[in-house]
Amino acid sequence: MASFVIVTDDGSYPEGHVTSISALSVTSVRLESYSHEGDYVVLHFEGGVDKAIPESRVRHIITRKQVAS
């Protein structure tokens, strides 16, 4: 179950989302985390691949807090 979802003008990026990034010849990477850097929300994928999205395109960031058992 995802602990976060980034919702943008173009769609959504839940934690664990798998995508390809043809510009880097990357066929399959999984979204692991995100951060805020200046006017961007940066999606951090496995293998050191990052995708920066301008904050103006981000509609919501939805998070789920981890509850200790």
Side-chain angles (χ1 to χ4, degrees), residues 2-57:
S3 63
F4 68 86
V5 178
I6 310 295
V7 180
T8 70
D9 291 340
D10 302 333
S12 61
Y13 297 89
E15 178 184 26
H17 173 79
V18 176
T19 190
S20 62
I21 301 174
S22 59
L24 296 176
S25 300
V26 175
T27 57
S28 179
V29 289
R30 186 176 56 84
L31 179 59
E32 295 181 328
S33 63
Y34 70 94
S35 63
H36 300 272
E37 297 181 21
D39 292 335
Y40 293 87
V41 173
V42 180
L43 306 180
H44 303 287
F45 293 87
E46 63 190 357
V49 176
D50 292 342
K51 178 177 182 176
I53 300 173
E55 275 186 343
S56 63
R57 290 189 37 226

